[in-house]
Amino acid sequence: MSEEYVLQLQHIRKEYPGVVALKDVTLELKPGEILALIGENGAGKSTLIKCCSGAVIPTSGKIIVNGKEFSSMTPQLASENGIAIIYQEFNNVKELSAAENLFLGRPIRKGIVIDKKAMEEEAAKAFEALHIKIDPKALMKNLTVGYQQMVEIAKAVQQNAKILIMDEPSAPLTSAEVESMFEVVERLRKEGVSIIYISHRLEEIYRLSDRILVMRDGEYVKTLITKDSEVQELIKLMVGRELTQSYPPRKDCVKKDEVVLELQNVTGNGDTDISLKIHKGEILGLGGLVGAGRTELAEMIFGAVRKKSGKMIFNGKEIDPKSPREAINLGIALVPEDRKRHGAMLGISIKNNINMPIYERNSKLSVINNKQEQEIAEKYRENMAIKTPSLNQLVKNLSGGNQQKVILGRWMAADSELIIFDEPTRGIDVGAKYEIYKLMNDLVENQGKTILMISSEMEELMGMSDRIVVLSEGNMTGELSKEEFTQEVIMTYASAARDK
Amino acid sequence: MKENKVSRVLKDQAIWLVFIVLVIAFTIANPRFITMNNLLIMLRQVAVWGIASVGMMFVILLGDIDLGTGSVITFVNILCAKLMVEFGVNMYLAVLISLLASTLIGLLNGFMVATIGIPALIATFATQTAFSGIALIMCNGQPINGFPEKFSVFGAGWVGPVPIPVIIMIICFIIGAFILNKTYFGRYFYAVGGNIEAARLSGIRTGRVKYLVFALSGFFAGLAGIVLLSRTNSGMGNAGLGYEFKVITCVVLGGVSVAGGSGRMSGVVAGTFIIGALNNGMVLMNINTWIQDIVLGIVLVLAVGFDCIQKKRQAN
Amino acid sequence: MKENKVSRVLKDQAIWLVFIVLVIAFTIANPRFITMNNLLIMLRQVAVWGIASVGMMFVILLGDIDLGTGSVITFVNILCAKLMVEFGVNMYLAVLISLLASTLIGLLNGFMVATIGIPALIATFATQTAFSGIALIMCNGQPINGFPEKFSVFGAGWVGPVPIPVIIMIICFIIGAFILNKTYFGRYFYAVGGNIEAARLSGIRTGRVKYLVFALSGFFAGLAGIVLLSRTNSGMGNAGLGYEFKVITCVVLGGVSVAGGSGRMSGVVAGTFIIGALNNGMVLMNINTWIQDIVLGIVLVLAVGFDCIQKKRQAN
Amino acid sequence: VGCGSKDGGSDSKSESGDSKDKKYKVGITIQSLSNAYWAGVMGKLEEQLKDKGWDYTLIDCEDNSATQVSQIENFITSGCDLIMVHPSDAKAVENICKEALDADIKVMCWDDPMENTTANWVLDNTELGKEIGKTAAEFINDKFTADDKAQVTVIGYPSTKVLKERADGIKEGLKENCKDNYEVIAEVDGLEAPEAQSNVESVLSAHPDANVFVGVGAGAMIGSNEALLQKYGKGKIPENVGVITTDVTEQQLNSLKAGNEAVRSIVGFEGSNEDTAKACMEMYERILSGEKFEGDDHNVFRTIKPITTDNIDEILKGM
Ligand SMILES: Nc1ncnc2c1ncn2[C@@H]1O[C@H](COP(=O)(O)OP(=O)(O)OP(=O)(O)O)[C@@H](O)[C@H]1O
Ligand SMILES: Nc1ncnc2c1ncn2[C@@H]1O[C@H](COP(=O)(O)OP(=O)(O)OP(=O)(O)O)[C@@H](O)[C@H]1O
Ligand SMILES: [Mg+2]
Ligand SMILES: [Mg+2]
């Protein structure tokens, strides 16, 4: 109809058994603009944009691309109509090279024969444009999460799409990479590409977008002009209430004389010679760039991977956990970074997910106590404000944020002494973030727990930590006390190994 | 949730519905089909598969598969027969040793799958190949018979009007349902089958779970082998040939996903009964063996296909 | 990257190393083994499996499996024989029709897997069951023979010193390698096998890829069936019984992961040769049939187990 | 059944330098060694071969012609003096047997009248079937009349050629030797005992008065006997109920001998397994001595004779 919009989603409704994910949502994208899409976890952002590619088939509604009307799309139609999408979950083939992933589904070919060399050359150019050093021949499985995301971005850009949809592209990226991504986004905007940008990081929204569309509970709330809007207003629209602070205050409860975990020259899993101490009641932040080896360190502490050498002392005793089970029994928990792959058990219920680590403990003669199981799940559903119609709901039917809350609930239930949070708020909305921060504070303040927090968000790291340790390429490059926290210092340490 | 429960019951009923339709069809074709006597005979005929299907279901829940079932049945057949006849071992002791041996074969599978990391399809296929050779060597290709009179109780005895193998099968089904729904390791089966990495990071010793499941599969196959031996009253070097696929068919017909992580015991019971009804009913109807094969293939596709289409519709 | 290449070549060589070790061992046991004549005979013996293994490899690359291979071989065997003998169809036309029919069976599998969504294990097992019934009905359980003289060329002919089935097998291997490494749809096999959702969202029509792969698997199985028919010069209603597992063994020995997404043609060639050497060498060494089974099981576990342990070490 | 006696061959107890005691190498490929009958006979044959100090390889082809062809190829390579083939499909091995003959290797076929062999030791399966039918007919004629017809179940396995011929022969034999005092009420599969047992149970359920079971082999007999025993109980089997099949295995003979089971008679061959093995060994020696089996003599026919309670003890001795 009108040529005013390049993409219109009209009255989209999407029902899942037991859940209405989208109720009558309408979105309109103007040529050459960046439209930000925001909303709490489970608001339906990802579901909405998946309708544009056929990854989700809407129950009802229309999709109009450049005046052409569709009741549903397919990935082919989307690509023919100039739509490219970066999904929230990774969509790559681990056994293929970066170059082949870049050209997945549309290889450079002569007849039926592919031209590998041309693809590798093109890929090298694309990566260069993003200021990243990725070998086009490297297999995807050997790249870090951050690099994999950069390949996704390069892939979307490479398609020369007229409409680019990005679902939380910055979540796995460190600030330097976010910067190079922004450069590309700005360039594309200048070239007349229309962009939908989804993020929970409001500063990114303000920096990039022209307009902001707010969603809540699967419904359209309001569209605002970015430069005329206020942060507080946005948050209120998103969560339906007012929030004042980004980081809840915490009284100092660090017991300097009680060391919970001490690492002495721990080496292995890509890390070398890591020595640090975590005190009781402390939140120790672990910072660094992509590939710094933080996740790897967490895996060793948690027993998921064995260390090669060095010592780990937990509550005064030397430990060497051979499996997560051993670590859990000692009182260590890990909230993993990749929640779909390592955290949530998608095919089973919320109740079972929360109880999983404690079934054995709470069973008599192997038989489960159903009442207790239900009570525990109920308690943490309330504590964590998990949005669900029933505890028997399968976790795969929850939004990303709510899945994260289920995993957090699991470790609360397990009553661990040291909890490692690997990117705890990755892809989580401001409202839920605040709740998770409060929870973390409560854990150290009132429940005598200790936290090791890995985060790529500089602000979160500085806002939450009592101390920060910085890693760079598997080496420990710096340790900062609260007074020394500045972005510049952390960045210097973080790139120390790379600069050498 | 309510809706969820209703649709779950309906799905469960779908497979039972297939069973009822079959029963009606066969009864129309030959009224003798529905006699209590024939129904019990039918159950007795599937007892061996039903018993083995409990263990197989656990394995399939993990997303694995056990192709060794047939060989374990054969091996136990020969081992138990040899112990009783050639070594004069007391009948109960022979049964015990045989069950132990079959559990050990299961553990061997568990070792290959969990510790070495060989895909279950390959590991259990190797077990199948090797143990069918071993069984034949042990019996030298000859049937073994002359068991104590009492031994026939497992396969051919009765409690009132009910054949003992049927009772054994039902007990196995109940144990299976209990393990899956009431015990913590039953929960682990679903967790490991659904997402093994997440299960491991939740503190589940996934290796042990695999060992346990394969051991149970070996055990139930062994028990099936004992019942078969008692039923035929003769140990044969190829007694269990091809049984693994019959058992897999029962499990899969029952709606257990070969991808792992989902399935219910009641479905497997229905799947087993369907196979029983088909086998028995088609013979009653005097249908040519080759056509029986074709019918079996078609029923399998229809039942599983129907399930898949439903799931697809739900997912969209 | 360099290191990657080296380790890849090493891994490839590992399976070839196994082959070489076997060859040396058998030669020591019986020097006749290494004669050119015997080696060619050995290759001729595995030609049927080798040809079918190309299609099976594609299917396994997708993370699926084709249990229908054996039945397709049998079916084609009977169909082609019947066409030539009973309907007097010209030999080349009969071959063409048979290949078409086998490709259609493959498409039927593709339909069940891609369109209905039945797991390949089940869908192809149903095909196997049904088509073995159909083949037996067609031939009434009786062998069919009396083909045109020339027909024996496919299975028993020679070009110079090289048997024609060996040449056909080698051509199939080359075509397989070409498809996998050079064509865009070959790369799609890896993509779909590695991450089907990502492949779909990248615009790959994953359904079509599955259809194509199953059709190819049917086609290669059909070709294998023709070669088998020509080799035995007689169509039998159980000619391909159990062949699917022999073919799967060749593919898996060759390092193709049953999880899908990884594997190379050269490995499959080595896998096929190893099976050939074992079958041939053990007979030359005068090893008992039943012990041969045990050896086969052990070799399979060792080869795949070694690979798994290596991969595990690499991952850490 | 086991490995060949490669080393046992050279240092065995053959003192006499007689040319008859020359050591030979024999390759044997059998349809299926997991079949009780074959495993039994071959076990005895092995004993004979070991006694002679001959070198031999014994394998089975799992009822697959292509495998059998490969095995014969391997025998040719390994330098056998004699290849004995019990073909899965005789036509399928003709060509390769010709290659063996061309390589100056003697070839003997067990069961089928093949062309490219030195000699055939033939069992005419249609004849055997007819004999089973005839034996069954004797039982039927003895117990049944046109008013009280025998309810016959044929237990076959039509997926292999020989067994199908045998089953067809059975029906022919019944037709030829019975009046209208029988009817075939069911035909079921039953190669292996468990399958036969299940199917017979189903038949008994459909036709509670089914009484005569005629089958093609040991599995059919063991399975149907067991099903009948379970229905009636040992010693309580009605006089007019019976099982008649072929194949000579110890278990069958014991059932027959017991007298209180359903087995009524067995159509056997030379006698015991040992008799069969000896007869086979004789064939080997005749062939290897250079005897020409030409014209009608190309096919040497095996003897078929029923085993009943009368001659059973003698046969049991040689099992
Ligand atoms: N396959 C599914 N089955 C059932 N419900 C689903 C499914 N996928 C999503 N949902 C539901 O749809 C709703 C919207 O989810 P969606 O992932 O679109 O949220 P989102 O706004 O992207 O959240 P987040 O910020 O956490 O990524 C949620 O309530 C979720 O539970
Ligand atoms: N599968 C793998 N194979 C080889 N090297 C790997 C693999 N995974 C990770 N690495 C390497 O290990 C190092 C650490 O990777 P990783 O990105 O997980 O660290 P991190 O500090 O947790 O980063 P993030 O910011 O993503 O949490 C990197 O140098 C990376 O290249
Ligand atoms: Mg989302
Ligand atoms: Mg990390």
Side-chain angles (χ1 to χ4, degrees):
Chain A
M1 301 182 299
S2 82
E3 293 300 313
E4 196 186 338
Y5 299 113
V6 285
L7 174 72
Q8 287 170 286
L9 302 170
Q10 291 185 341
H11 309 292
I12 302 285
R13 183 178 177 83
K14 177 64 193 173
E15 291 169 16
Y16 286 108
V19 192
V20 183
L22 296 173
K23 302 165 203 151
D24 192 28
V25 180
T26 294
L27 173 152
E28 285 158 336
L29 182 64
K30 294 179 189 163
E33 77 163 341
I34 297 182
L35 174 68
L37 187 54
I38 64 169
E40 277 192 291
N41 294 133
K45 306 177 294 293
S46 300
T47 310
L48 183 68
I49 61 105
K50 278 180 181 169
C51 293
C52 302
S53 71
V56 164
I57 309 291
T59 313
S60 65
K62 274 189 291 195
I63 301 156
I64 304 168
V65 191
N66 292 318
K68 269 188 278 179
E69 207 179 291
F70 303 90
S71 65
S72 72
M73 298 291 285
T74 64
Q76 290 79 27
L77 273 180
S79 143
E80 280 162 23
N81 286 284
I83 301 174
I85 301 184
I86 298 164
Y87 296 94
Q88 189 174 9
E89 304 87 18
F90 291 108
N91 271 291
N92 52 42
V93 182
K94 300 272 185 281
E95 291 287 336
L96 292 182
S97 69
E100 282 199 87
N101 268 287
L102 198 72
F103 286 97
L104 199 63
R106 35 179 202 97
I108 302 178
R109 57 185 167 108
K110 301 185 187 110
I112 58 166
V113 179
I114 51 165
D115 189 342
K116 228 179 206 164
K117 227 175 114 209
M119 287 198 277
E120 276 159 11
E121 278 165 13
E122 288 295 316
K125 275 186 223 157
F127 295 146
E128 210 167 298
L130 280 168
H131 308 297
I132 39 170
K133 288 196 194 77
I134 298 177
D135 179 355
K137 285 183 190 147
L139 293 189
M140 209 62 174
K141 66 175 174 189
N142 294 333
L143 299 180
T144 58
V145 192
Y147 280 168
Q148 289 180 21
Q149 178 72 343
M150 293 306 268
V151 174
E152 295 274 313
I153 293 169
K155 177 179 166 186
V157 172
Q158 173 73 27
Q159 291 178 33
N160 291 325
K162 288 277 146 276
I163 301 164
L164 177 61
I165 302 173
M166 309 171 89
D167 195 352
E168 299 194 34
S170 60
L173 301 183
T174 46
S175 42
E177 280 155 342
V178 172
E179 279 308 316
S180 25
M181 181 187 75
F182 280 1
E183 262 176 48
V184 175
V185 171
E186 297 281 6
R187 196 188 76 216
L188 291 175
R189 186 215 320 246
K190 283 200 197 96
E191 289 168 9
V193 177
S194 317
I195 295 167
I196 298 177
Y197 189 92
I198 301 176
S199 178
H200 289 295
R201 299 182 182 169
L202 293 184
E203 74 277 7
E204 295 178 0
I205 305 284
Y206 275 99
R207 214 181 121 179
L208 286 176
S209 71
D210 302 307
R211 293 190 305 146
I212 304 172
L213 190 155
V214 186
M215 287 176 69
R216 188 170 65 228
D217 291 334
E219 280 174 287
Y220 171 86
V221 177
K222 197 174 178 183
T223 308
L224 307 116
I225 307 294
T226 309
K227 56 181 191 302
D228 301 339
S229 67
E230 297 271 330
V231 180
Q232 289 313 316
E233 187 193 358
L234 274 187
I235 292 174
K236 196 176 158 192
L237 286 173
M238 257 163 53
V239 299
R241 72 193 125 86
E242 260 179 279
L243 280 177
T244 42
Q245 280 160 300
S246 11
Y247 297 98
R250 176 172 82 242
K251 57 175 189 276
D252 186 11
C253 51
V254 184
K255 300 207 175 81
K256 278 264 172 356
D257 47 340
E258 261 184 77
V259 177
V260 173
L261 178 75
E262 182 177 357
L263 305 186
Q264 294 178 358
N265 309 97
V266 169
T267 298
N269 202 19
D271 289 325
T272 26
D273 245 357
I274 311 282
S275 301
L276 54 82
K277 281 182 188 166
I278 310 174
H279 304 101
K280 193 171 177 67
E282 187 175 36
I283 296 183
L284 176 68
L286 203 50
L289 295 174
V290 175
R294 295 163 297 172
T295 302
E296 282 68 11
L297 187 63
E299 283 172 346
M300 280 191 287
I301 298 172
F302 191 54
V305 176
R306 297 285 297 276
K307 66 171 165 51
K308 283 209 183 76
S309 63
K311 261 192 191 175
M312 291 199 271
I313 298 158
F314 187 66
N315 283 333
K317 268 187 293 187
E318 187 174 344
I319 60 163
D320 183 14
K322 287 181 269 306
S323 68
R325 179 80 251 164
E326 272 185 41
I328 291 165
N329 289 347
L330 287 165
I332 303 173
L334 170 69
V335 180
E337 165 183 43
D338 187 341
R339 69 176 157 260
K340 282 246 160 66
R341 258 182 35 219
H342 299 146
M345 285 169 264
L346 299 175
I348 64 179
S349 68
I350 297 171
K351 184 164 74 182
N352 288 357
N353 259 285
I354 290 177
N355 279 284
M356 203 49 83
I358 53 172
Y359 271 132
E360 227 163 314
R361 199 190 296 164
N362 292 346
S363 302
K364 277 205 190 81
L365 295 169
S366 306
V367 178
I368 290 166
N369 181 342
N370 289 35
K371 197 164 148 253
Q372 191 184 24
E373 180 190 20
Q374 180 71 26
E375 279 168 8
I376 289 172
E378 199 64 61
K379 178 173 162 199
Y380 290 99
R381 187 233 314 241
E382 261 164 51
N383 268 359
M384 313 296 307
I386 299 168
K387 228 177 267 171
T388 171
S390 154
L391 286 172
N392 291 322
Q393 179 73 273
L394 302 187
V395 169
K396 71 172 163 211
N397 296 338
L398 298 180
S399 72
N402 279 307
Q403 289 177 358
Q404 184 75 335
K405 288 182 196 164
V406 171
I407 302 166
L408 288 179
R410 174 194 297 165
W411 296 117
M412 303 294 137
D415 198 24
S416 310
E417 190 184 346
L418 172 69
I419 305 175
I420 308 170
F421 286 88
D422 196 353
E423 310 281 6
T425 60
R426 182 170 147 190
I428 287 186
D429 65 75
V430 271
K433 248 185 201 171
Y434 193 78
E435 282 170 42
I436 286 171
Y437 294 147
K438 273 206 303 198
L439 258 154
M440 290 171 76
N441 281 353
D442 181 57
L443 285 172
V444 289
E445 269 179 0
N446 307 320
Q447 302 188 39
K449 313 278 183 204
T450 306
I451 291 176
L452 175 63
M453 182 184 79
I454 300 173
S455 176
S456 298
E457 271 186 64
M458 209 64 80
E459 283 200 18
E460 174 174 284
L461 206 57
M462 296 193 295
M464 289 301 295
S465 311
D466 293 304
R467 230 161 17 105
I468 294 176
V469 165
V470 186
L471 299 192
S472 179
E473 303 207 340
N475 294 295
M476 201 177 135
T477 46
E479 188 180 332
L480 297 88
S481 59
K482 199 146 197 158
E483 307 75 55
E484 301 169 293
F485 288 179
T486 63
Q487 294 220 14
E488 291 70 33
V489 180
I490 298 175
M491 279 311 289
T492 317
Y493 285 136
S495 33
R498 284 194 187 177
D499 290 347
K500 255 192 282 178
Chain B
M1 192 49 234
K2 276 273 121 37
E3 193 194 22
N4 216 325
K5 201 151 202 170
V6 169
S7 83
R8 221 166 66 176
V9 169
L10 249 172
K11 224 189 87 188
D12 264 27
Q13 279 182 341
I15 193 75
W16 282 102
L17 220 75
V18 173
F19 176 63
I20 290 166
V21 168
L22 275 180
V23 167
I24 293 172
F26 283 131
T27 306
I28 293 171
N30 187 340
R32 272 186 216 277
F33 180 85
I34 200 73
T35 56
M36 184 47 82
N37 187 34
N38 186 55
L39 291 180
L40 285 173
I41 281 182
M42 185 195 90
L43 288 184
R44 191 170 66 180
Q45 289 168 344
V46 291
V48 172
W49 303 335
I51 294 167
S53 75
V54 176
M56 183 67 84
M57 181 198 182
F58 296 164
V59 176
I60 294 184
L61 269 185
L62 289 196
D64 288 331
I65 201 148
D66 190 352
L67 297 183
T69 301
S71 279
V72 171
I73 290 177
T74 307
F75 177 76
V76 161
N77 225 272
I78 296 300
L79 178 67
C80 187
K82 240 179 132 75
L83 284 173
M84 289 189 298
V85 176
E86 285 182 28
F87 298 93
V89 174
N90 167 291
M91 160 184 139
Y92 295 104
L93 187 61
V95 168
L96 226 76
I97 295 174
S98 304
L99 290 179
L100 192 71
S102 64
T103 310
L104 284 177
I105 299 177
L107 282 175
L108 174 67
N109 284 330
F111 169 74
M112 290 193 288
V113 173
T115 305
I116 309 192
I118 302 176
L121 187 84
I122 308 306
T124 59
F125 173 64
T127 312
Q128 185 213 58
T129 312
F131 275 88
S132 72
I134 293 174
L136 280 164
I137 289 176
M138 276 170 61
C139 73
N140 209 2
Q142 291 297 299
I144 303 174
N145 44 50
F147 311 144
E149 191 77 12
K150 274 191 303 178
F151 182 70
S152 69
V153 71
F154 300 112
W158 300 80
V159 171
V162 190
I164 287 180
V166 175
I167 295 177
I168 297 180
M169 171 173 73
I170 291 172
I171 292 175
C172 288
F173 283 149
I174 293 173
I175 292 176
F178 180 80
I179 289 178
L180 287 181
N181 299 319
K182 296 285 166 202
T183 67
Y184 73 85
F185 46 90
R187 288 278 203 285
Y188 287 0
F189 298 171
Y190 288 97
V192 173
N195 183 345
I196 187 165
E197 200 45 34
R200 191 173 80 95
L201 292 176
S202 309
I204 298 176
R205 294 178 184 89
T206 54
R208 284 199 201 175
V209 173
K210 294 218 164 192
Y211 270 96
L212 174 66
V213 163
F214 277 99
L216 282 173
S217 181
F219 173 82
F220 281 107
L223 190 58
I226 299 284
V227 170
L228 181 71
L229 180 66
S230 162
R231 182 166 145 71
T232 56
N233 218 355
S234 166
M236 289 273 270
N238 57 358
L241 195 73
Y243 270 44
E244 54 279 356
F245 274 104
K246 298 210 171 114
V247 176
I248 291 171
T249 307
C250 293
V251 173
V252 170
L253 264 186
V256 181
S257 154
V258 287
S262 83
R264 316 185 65 219
M265 199 70 227
S266 59
V268 174
V269 175
T272 309
F273 287 3
I274 288 175
I275 292 292
L278 279 174
N279 274 331
N280 178 284
M282 289 200 287
V283 172
L284 252 51
M285 279 175 70
N286 212 358
I287 293 179
N288 168 303
T289 1
W290 300 330
I291 296 184
Q292 291 189 22
D293 279 347
I294 302 178
V295 171
L296 206 68
I298 293 175
V299 168
L300 190 58
V301 166
L302 288 184
V304 180
F306 179 75
D307 206 44
C308 291
I309 288 174
Q310 254 198 339
K311 263 192 207 142
K312 248 192 184 170
R313 195 174 307 150
Q314 257 181 13
N316 278 347
Chain C
M1 193 56 232
K2 277 267 122 37
E3 191 195 25
N4 217 325
K5 200 152 203 168
V6 169
S7 84
R8 220 166 66 178
V9 168
L10 249 173
K11 224 189 85 186
D12 264 25
Q13 280 182 341
I15 193 74
W16 282 102
L17 221 75
V18 173
F19 176 65
I20 290 166
V21 168
L22 276 179
V23 167
I24 293 172
F26 284 132
T27 306
I28 293 170
N30 187 339
R32 274 184 217 269
F33 181 84
I34 201 72
T35 58
M36 184 47 83
N37 187 34
N38 186 53
L39 290 179
L40 285 174
I41 282 181
M42 184 194 91
L43 288 183
R44 191 168 68 178
Q45 289 168 349
V46 291
V48 171
W49 304 335
I51 294 166
S53 74
V54 176
M56 182 67 84
M57 182 201 183
F58 295 164
V59 177
I60 294 184
L61 268 185
L62 288 195
D64 289 331
I65 201 148
D66 190 351
L67 297 183
T69 300
S71 278
V72 171
I73 290 177
T74 307
F75 178 76
V76 160
N77 223 272
I78 296 299
L79 179 68
C80 189
K82 238 180 132 78
L83 284 173
M84 290 189 297
V85 176
E86 285 182 28
F87 298 94
V89 175
N90 166 292
M91 161 183 138
Y92 295 105
L93 188 61
V95 168
L96 225 76
I97 295 175
S98 304
L99 290 180
L100 193 71
S102 63
T103 311
L104 284 177
I105 299 178
L107 281 176
L108 174 67
N109 284 332
F111 168 75
M112 291 192 288
V113 174
T115 305
I116 308 192
I118 302 176
L121 186 83
I122 308 304
T124 59
F125 173 62
T127 311
Q128 185 213 59
T129 312
F131 275 89
S132 75
I134 292 175
L136 281 164
I137 289 176
M138 278 170 62
C139 73
N140 205 9
Q142 294 299 302
I144 304 175
N145 40 53
F147 310 144
E149 190 79 11
K150 274 192 303 178
F151 182 71
S152 69
V153 71
F154 300 111
W158 301 78
V159 171
V162 189
I164 287 182
V166 175
I167 296 177
I168 298 180
M169 171 173 73
I170 290 171
I171 292 175
C172 288
F173 283 150
I174 292 172
I175 292 177
F178 178 79
I179 290 179
L180 286 181
N181 299 319
K182 297 285 169 202
T183 68
Y184 72 94
F185 49 90
R187 303 312 294 174
Y188 286 180
F189 299 171
Y190 287 96
V192 173
N195 184 346
I196 187 164
E197 197 49 27
R200 191 175 80 87
L201 293 176
S202 304
I204 297 176
R205 292 182 178 82
T206 54
R208 284 199 202 174
V209 173
K210 292 218 165 190
Y211 270 97
L212 175 66
V213 164
F214 278 99
L216 283 173
S217 180
F219 172 83
F220 281 107
L223 190 59
I226 299 284
V227 170
L228 182 73
L229 180 67
S230 163
R231 181 163 148 75
T232 57
N233 217 357
S234 168
M236 280 276 272
N238 61 353
L241 195 74
Y243 270 44
E244 55 279 356
F245 275 103
K246 298 213 170 110
V247 176
I248 291 171
T249 306
C250 293
V251 172
V252 170
L253 264 186
V256 180
S257 154
V258 287
S262 81
R264 317 184 66 217
M265 200 70 227
S266 58
V268 174
V269 175
T272 309
F273 286 5
I274 287 175
I275 293 292
L278 278 174
N279 275 327
N280 179 286
M282 287 199 290
V283 172
L284 291 189
M285 271 178 75
N286 206 1
I287 292 178
N288 170 296
T289 325
W290 299 330
I291 294 183
Q292 289 191 20
D293 279 347
I294 303 178
V295 172
L296 208 67
I298 292 174
V299 168
L300 190 59
V301 166
L302 288 185
V304 179
F306 179 74
D307 205 44
C308 291
I309 288 173
Q310 252 198 339
K311 263 193 206 141
K312 251 192 184 169
R313 195 174 306 151
Q314 254 182 14
N316 278 350
Chain D
V1 184
C3 302
S5 54
K6 201 156 210 173
D7 29 31
S10 46
D11 50 36
S12 71
K13 55 204 177 247
S14 55
E15 303 102 60
S16 61
D18 202 324
S19 75
K20 252 201 137 184
D21 279 342
K22 198 178 157 226
K23 304 288 174 280
Y24 292 103
K25 181 168 175 164
V26 188
I28 304 168
T29 162
I30 302 295
Q31 226 178 61
S32 166
L33 275 177
S34 43
N35 174 295
Y37 172 71
W38 282 100
V41 173
M42 287 301 123
K44 292 290 175 194
L45 183 62
E46 281 191 287
E47 283 174 17
Q48 304 265 333
L49 287 161
K50 275 182 197 151
D51 278 351
K52 292 261 179 215
W54 289 10
D55 196 2
Y56 68 92
T57 306
L58 169 61
I59 42 184
D60 75 344
C61 70
E62 289 166 350
D63 204 8
N64 187 295
S65 321
T67 307
Q68 198 156 40
V69 171
S70 299
Q71 289 170 339
I72 298 171
E73 283 169 352
N74 295 342
F75 286 155
I76 298 174
T77 307
S78 68
C80 288
D81 302 298
L82 168 69
I83 294 173
M84 186 190 90
V85 52
H86 169 236
S88 167
D89 170 11
K91 278 285 182 305
V93 291
E94 287 283 8
N95 286 342
I96 188 67
C97 286
K98 181 154 190 314
E99 280 181 35
L101 288 178
D102 291 345
D104 263 341
I105 297 170
K106 307 268 195 251
V107 180
M108 168 179 153
C109 171
W110 178 317
D111 259 10
D112 286 78
M114 278 179 60
E115 223 168 275
N116 295 306
T117 50
T118 316
N120 302 318
W121 203 42
V122 180
L123 179 73
D124 185 329
N125 273 292
T126 310
E127 277 308 314
L128 173 61
K130 279 189 193 167
E131 187 67 28
I132 302 168
K134 194 173 138 207
T135 314
E138 277 164 26
F139 179 76
I140 291 169
N141 291 336
D142 191 32
K143 314 269 193 231
F144 298 93
T145 60
D147 304 326
D148 171 26
K149 286 188 173 143
Q151 310 280 302
V152 179
T153 303
V154 179
I155 307 163
Y157 188 70
S159 306
T160 50
K161 175 174 167 277
V162 288
L163 294 181
K164 181 153 196 306
E165 285 171 3
R166 212 176 276 182
D168 291 343
I170 290 176
K171 282 181 267 177
E172 232 171 281
L174 282 169
K175 207 188 279 171
E176 279 172 16
N177 296 294
C178 277
K179 311 273 149 8
D180 36 357
N181 56 352
Y182 81 101
E183 59 181 329
V184 175
I185 51 163
E187 285 187 53
V188 296
D189 247 21
L191 182 62
E192 304 302 346
E195 194 187 14
Q197 187 174 348
S198 277
N199 287 339
V200 168
E201 281 171 355
S202 296
V203 170
L204 282 170
S205 184
H207 311 274
D209 44 358
N211 36 37
V212 179
F213 298 84
V214 195
V216 294
M221 175 165 281
I222 295 167
S224 48
N225 183 42
E226 202 55 41
L228 288 165
L229 279 175
Q230 285 176 20
K231 179 174 162 136
Y232 294 107
K234 211 168 222 174
K236 292 184 212 133
I237 294 173
E239 275 224 315
N240 64 351
V241 170
V243 180
I244 294 112
T245 66
T246 182
D247 276 359
V248 186
T249 65
E250 209 171 338
Q251 182 172 6
Q252 283 171 286
L253 295 174
N254 285 330
S255 294
L256 176 60
K257 184 167 190 274
N260 54 5
E261 299 185 16
V263 178
R264 300 301 174 186
S265 64
I266 302 166
V267 176
F269 313 103
E270 290 75 16
S272 65
N273 284 347
E274 197 167 340
D275 296 332
T276 302
K278 272 188 188 145
C280 177
M281 202 62 205
E282 240 167 68
M283 281 295 293
Y284 287 0
E285 281 174 333
R286 281 172 66 191
I287 291 171
L288 287 165
S289 72
E291 187 177 331
K292 296 270 177 272
F293 295 81
E294 273 159 357
D296 285 346
D297 294 335
H298 193 65
N299 294 333
V300 178
F301 284 91
R302 293 179 62 191
T303 46
I304 304 173
K305 63 178 182 212
I307 304 170
T308 58
T309 37
D310 303 333
N311 57 356
I312 182 125
D313 288 320
E314 188 192 330
I315 288 173
L316 263 173
K317 266 184 238 148
M319 292 306 290

